[in-house]
Amino acid sequence: APTATSPMWTGQTAVTSTIFCNFQNVDPFKASLCRNVKFRRALSHLIDRETIVRVGLGGLDGPLYGPISSGKTRWHTASTFVEGRTQFSYDPAKAAQLLREMGFTRKNAQGFLIDGQGRTIKMNALVVSTEALQKVAAPIVIEDMRKVGIDASFTVADNGSVINPALRNFNADGTRNFDI
């Protein structure tokens, strides 16, 4: 296997694959979840970046904790990422704790978390069909979301409907038709 000093070592690439939580969801409850910093941190704690890199990239990269890859050395500063403030490592127990703090303290008969009003967290991830790493990462992340009690799934969508600004699922009222 390549090492950091061998000529085959690639280091981190300049390419990133990022999860976005939809603040303008058509469902006001989901939009409020996405706007909640505890929810976004819980999601980040449910991303097993090390496994995704190992499975999706053969271990030839490193975990990404922000929108700028360390491969973009002009803009990336490693000291920016501080565990618990700007970096949230894989920790399903911490994710579950954050969800409890949000009021999701019980599970229903299907094993999904519910809040005091009986609402579950149901999220569908929109995955770009041409992004191989996203197609590898999605089932890993969804499985971990389900383990803590989030009713999660993913849909693979064509590149144009996700990437093209003219087709980004905007509604007349400014809402958007995806969860994450």
Side-chain angles (χ1 to χ4, degrees), residues 71-111:
K72 294 187 177 189
T73 56
R74 182 175 180 186
W75 299 285
H76 185 274
T77 306
S79 62
T80 301
F81 302 101
V82 178
E83 187 62 41
R85 281 193 36 230
T86 53
Q87 175 177 312
F88 304 94
S89 296
Y90 179 65
D91 188 345
K94 181 64 176 175
Q97 175 191 332
L98 289 166
L99 294 168
R100 279 191 304 276
E101 290 173 13
M102 292 175 57
F104 291 92
T105 56
R106 299 177 295 131
K107 290 188 177 182
N108 63 17
Q110 292 78 35

Side-chain angles (χ1 to χ4, degrees), residues 124-129 134 138 142 153-158 162 180:
N124 183 269
L126 190 60
V127 176
V128 181
S129 64
Q134 286 185 17
I142 296 304
S153 59
F154 71 95
T155 301
V156 177
D158 67 281
V162 178
I180 53 178

Side-chain angles (χ1 to χ4, degrees), residues 26-81:
V26 294
D27 180 334
F29 174 63
K30 290 180 182 182
S32 71
L33 285 173
C34 287
R35 290 183 180 127
N36 187 314
V37 69
K38 287 183 180 182
F39 183 72
R40 294 191 311 273
R41 287 180 179 171
L43 287 181
S44 192
H45 280 301
L46 292 171
I47 301 171
D48 188 351
R49 293 165 179 86
E50 298 290 339
T51 296
I52 292 167
V53 168
R54 190 178 68 253
V55 173
L57 299 171
L60 295 176
D61 214 327
L64 180 66
Y65 291 99
I68 300 173
S69 168
S70 65
K72 294 187 177 189
T73 56
R74 182 175 180 186
W75 299 285
H76 185 274
T77 306
S79 62
T80 301
F81 302 101

